[in-house]
Each structure stands twice: as structure tokens, then as C-alpha cells.
Amino acid sequence: MSITLVSDVRLAIRNVRRGGWQSATVVLILGVALGVVTAVFSIAHAVLLVPLPVDDSDGVVLLWGRDDARSQQVVEVSLRDQRAWIAAQRSFTAIELFGSVNWGELQVSGPGQPFRAVRSAVSSGYFDVLGARPLMGRTFREADDRPGARPTVVLSEGIWRQNFSSDPDILGRLLTVGAGSTVTAVEVIGVMPREFRVPAGAQVWVALGPELGEADDVRAMYAIARLAPGATVERGVAELSTIARNEELKGGNLTTSMVVVATPLMAYLLGPSRPALMAIAGASTALLLIACTNAAALLLVQGAARRREIAVRLAIGARRRQIVRQLFAESAVLSLIAGALGVALAYVSFDAIRALAPVDVPRLDEATIDGRSLLVALGLCMGTAVIVGLFPAWRHSGAAPLVALLDRSRSATSGSSSTRVRKVLVAAQLAAVVVLLTAAGLFIEASRHYSISISASTRRAC
């Protein structure tokens, strides 16, 4: 069996080389499509499929308000709101706060080379709600989160590696923050692991209390909460909405329609990037199907020129399964060469493809062409070989030897059949084009919503 397989592969390689420009065209068509699918998979895997570094992320929700009476779709949360919610609800084991947008940059002027880092202000139990554990040191305690407390900071792994050369003695070091009369000493208390990116874009985390001081009525945060065992999001939202309306009435807002909105953590982090990536994945799949259809059509044309060769082999005793196996081996060789080309194209163009995505797509910088991507590419090659090669191989091996040897008879009897095959291939291509155009439309719509959401966040930050 192994000798037969080696013989088939050797003959397939010779026939592919004899195919000349037709073989090269098939390789190029499939290679480009496989490269696109491989790159898109690598990005989608990093953004959508890699689990969050959060314990039981399904039980974590983000909370903010909505007041239709004042046409406010997003009402952020204050420290006063948080205290009222915690005191009167039973559906969440903890409710913590973090800035609804990252609060500018932390300007570090020493020791060492000055740098800037995007900061996120969080309450003391923020990391505990997420179940996120530091790579080194600790996260915030209640004493760190009180107004007037000594400023502390938790670094991301990227900042620790890039600006402190992964110094293991970073814990306890005092950083000089600010410039001129606003210089402050901030103590490094911990370093978060590389995969922790909540909220997106944050490079350092500071305690919320010292940032706000006594201004407990400033609504500039979102709440993040973990459901209690047996509780439901609906019941928790109903409880918090009642509390929120009562607090508004106490504050003199008699026309309030305040309700609390809950959003799953994953939905918040991905935002509109999920439908955009799904649309891109659909478009790349449609592109691969179109490429497979075109390649199959080319192999049918190429196989038609070999009908006499196949007829001779059948006439001298070759079995149909042997012919199918040989022709399928040729399509497999073409697919493997195309796969190698596709991986090379994906690797070379990957940085450019990532640069086309919006900068706020979470974990985009973690996407890479790795071993998993190569396995997917190999699987796609095998699937492509089946799609591209099996039908042409089965069709050409089924020709009657006598009819195939007689050119006049062949043209007279196979014309209608060939026409039907071409119509099927054209219909398949049109269906794939419809899918491709639909996915492109979904991508444009998702990108538009993404831009709107970013603009809204920027206005709130200002």
C-alpha cells in the first residue's frame, strides 16, 4: 500500500509539473484564498476564541444606567451609586467600579527613561471580581482605595518588560509621576500577566479613591459585578433599577425613568468587533469556495485534454478507483503547494492585515501565525483537495473508453453533460459571490457602528 501511495505521489508531481500554466493558475488561486483564510483564522482565534483570563467570565456583567426621560442612553456610575447598590441588593456577590474610559496617560519621569502609559482607575476589589491574579506582587486593597491614600500602581506585563527590562525587584519601587509642581511618588505594588487586558487599552491600573478624592458623586465609571450563586441577571437588574430610581427621587429628580443595564463582560470587551470579525470570516470562507470552484473548473478543462490518456489506461485494465486515486493525488499535491504558498503569503502580509483593523479591537496584538494556524491551514488543504479534486477525478474516470477514444463521438455525446457541469459550477460561484457580498455589507455596517461607538466614548471622555 505504501509503495502504491509513493508511486501515486511521484506520478502526481510529474503530472502537476507537466500541467504548466494551468497548474500554476490553480496553485495561485487556491494559495491566495488559503492565505486569507489562515490570516483571518489567526485573528479570530486570538480575539474571539481564546478564553478570557477571568474566572467564570459568564457570571461577570458590566452595569450602567439608562434614563429615557432625559434621553440618556448611558448614565455612568458614581461611588455614591455603588454604595447604594451594595447596601440594598442580594443578587451580586460584589460590585466594583472602573473608569468608563481610560483616564489619560500616566507620565512617569523617573527613575530611568521617562515614558507614558495609558491608565485605568479601578476600585480596590476590581481584580477580585474578575478573579484575575497578578504575575507578581499584589493588587489593590481597601487601604489603597481611600481618599488621600498613598498612590499605588499595578503595571501590565508589557510596561514591566519594555520599560523596566522585566526587573524582578520592581515591587516596592517608587516612580516619579508628573512634572513640575505636580510631581508625585507612586509605589509599584504588582504586575499583571500579559493576557490580562481588561479594560482594553489599559497599560497601568491606579486606585480610584485617591484619583477622585471626596468627589463621590462624579459619574465617570462603569460597575462590574459578579452574580451570586443561583441569581439571575434579570433579577439583579430589577433590584438595582429600583434602587437607582429611589436614589434619583431622593436627589430631587421626580421625572426619572432610570433603569440599570447589564452587559456580559465578553460582549463589552468585543463590542462591534465580533460581528465585524464574523463578517470577515464569512467573506473569507466565500472567497475560498469561489477559489475552489474556479480551480475545479480548471481541473475539469485540464482533465478533458487527458481523456484519451485515461481511456487508454482503462482499456488496458486499470480500475476506476485507481484512476480516481491518481487524479485525486494530483489535486492533493496542488492543494499542498497552494497551502504552502498561502501560509507564506499570510505570514508576510500579516502585520499589514492587522494594521487594517480598528486599534481598539481587544487582543489583536496577540494574533500570530502559530502552530495552530498551520494545523488549520493543513486541514484546509486537505478539505480543498477533496472539494477541488474529487468531482473532476470521478467524472473523468467514468468516461467510456471507446467513446473517449473517438474524438467525434466524444464531442457529440459529452457536450450536453459538460454544459450541465459548467452551469453547476457557475451557480456555485454565484452563490458564493452572494455570500461574499453579504458578508462585506455586514462588515461595513459593523465598522460604521464601531466608529460611532468610539466617537461616543471619546465624547464622554472629553
Side-chain angles (χ1 to χ4, degrees):
M1 181 64 182
S2 59
I3 296 177
T4 302
L5 179 61
V6 171
S7 176
D8 286 341
V9 171
R10 287 178 177 174
L11 183 57
I13 293 174
R14 285 200 301 269
N15 289 335
V16 166
R17 293 172 65 180
R18 285 169 49 196
W21 68 268
Q22 289 180 320
S23 296
T25 303
V26 170
V27 168
L28 183 60
I29 292 173
L30 294 179
V32 171
L34 288 170
V36 170
V37 175
T38 301
V40 169
F41 168 80
S42 300
I43 293 174
H45 180 266
V47 176
L48 300 178
L49 303 180
V50 174
L52 291 173
V54 174
D55 288 345
D56 187 22
S57 61
D58 292 338
V60 179
V61 295
L62 270 74
L63 306 168
W64 54 78
R66 189 184 74 236
D67 193 344
D68 293 332
R70 291 184 288 179
S71 299
Q72 294 180 335
Q73 293 301 305
V74 176
V75 179
E76 290 149 315
V77 185
S78 68
L79 286 169
R80 187 179 298 175
D81 295 329
Q82 180 201 27
R83 287 196 293 266
W85 290 0
I86 291 174
Q89 65 81 37
R90 297 183 178 180
S91 296
F92 300 98
T93 58
I95 301 176
E96 299 294 334
L97 299 180
F98 70 101
S100 57
V101 293
N102 292 322
W103 286 11
E105 292 182 326
L106 195 70
Q107 182 179 349
V108 180
S109 54
Q113 193 73 19
F115 67 92
R116 294 174 179 267
V118 178
R119 68 179 183 181
S120 175
V122 302
S123 58
S124 59
Y126 171 78
F127 294 99
D128 295 331
V129 166
L130 294 171
R133 299 165 184 81
L135 180 66
M136 294 174 54
R138 64 176 179 86
T139 55
F140 299 116
R141 298 169 181 163
E142 288 188 14
D144 301 315
D145 198 26
R146 294 170 184 162
R150 182 176 64 177
T152 53
V153 64
V154 176
L155 306 178
S156 66
E157 187 272 343
I159 290 294
W160 174 56
R161 173 171 41 82
Q162 294 169 14
N163 297 98
F164 299 99
S165 302
S166 302
D167 184 1
D169 297 324
I170 189 66
L171 300 179
R173 182 177 299 180
L174 295 178
L175 305 181
T176 303
V177 175
S181 60
T182 61
V183 169
T184 306
V186 179
E187 180 186 359
V188 178
I189 62 172
V191 177
M192 295 305 294
R194 180 176 181 268
E195 60 270 14
F196 186 81
R197 305 289 185 88
V198 187
Q203 296 176 302
V204 297
W205 294 265
V206 297
L208 189 60
E211 292 282 322
L212 290 177
E214 300 297 332
D216 66 349
D217 60 343
V218 174
R219 282 177 165 167
M221 287 78 68
Y222 292 149
I224 186 166
R226 182 173 288 276
L227 279 171
T232 64
V233 174
E234 291 76 14
R235 190 181 79 182
V237 165
E239 288 181 354
L240 295 182
S241 296
T242 301
I243 299 167
R245 283 192 294 271
N246 290 337
E247 291 299 309
E248 289 291 301
L249 291 172
K250 289 179 184 178
N253 182 11
L254 302 181
T255 61
T256 182
S257 62
M258 183 75 74
V259 295
V260 173
V261 177
T263 301
L265 177 61
M266 195 68 172
Y268 166 76
L269 291 177
L270 294 177
S273 62
R274 179 193 287 270
L277 284 174
M278 296 300 291
I280 293 173
S284 63
T285 303
L287 178 64
L288 181 59
L289 290 176
I290 293 172
C292 289
T293 305
N294 287 329
L298 284 173
L299 289 180
L300 278 173
V301 173
Q302 189 179 31
R306 298 174 58 189
R307 286 171 64 90
R308 293 176 64 84
E309 170 197 337
I310 295 171
V312 169
R313 294 179 60 184
L314 289 171
I316 61 176
R319 296 182 179 179
R320 186 178 185 184
R321 62 182 178 86
Q322 292 176 315
I323 303 298
V324 170
R325 188 179 65 206
Q326 178 59 55
L327 296 176
F328 181 72
E330 293 177 18
S331 66
V333 169
L334 286 171
S335 297
L336 287 174
I337 297 173
L341 175 62
V343 170
L345 291 174
Y347 185 82
V348 170
S349 61
F350 196 66
D351 290 340
I353 293 174
R354 286 194 304 185
L356 294 175
V359 294
D360 285 353
V361 175
R363 302 189 291 188
L364 182 63
D365 59 333
E366 297 180 14
T368 182
I369 305 294
D370 55 10
R372 187 179 289 105
S373 302
L374 296 179
L375 286 176
V376 169
L378 180 60
L380 288 172
C381 288
M382 295 298 98
T384 300
V386 172
I387 296 173
V388 170
L390 199 56
F391 174 69
W394 187 258
R395 173 173 170 75
H396 291 310
S397 64
L402 183 59
V403 172
L405 288 171
L406 297 174
D407 290 340
R408 184 174 301 177
S409 298
R410 179 189 62 190
S411 60
T413 60
S414 65
S416 59
S417 177
S418 298
T419 301
R420 287 195 299 270
V421 171
R422 285 195 296 270
K423 288 181 178 180
V424 170
L425 291 176
V426 170
Q429 291 186 57
L430 288 175
V433 167
V434 170
V435 174
L436 181 60
L437 293 175
T438 303
L442 292 173
F443 172 69
I444 293 172
E445 183 68 13
S447 298
R448 187 177 68 85
H449 286 301
Y450 196 94
S451 300
I452 291 173
S453 67
I454 295 223
S455 299
S457 297
T458 303
R459 288 195 298 269
R460 291 199 303 271
C462 296

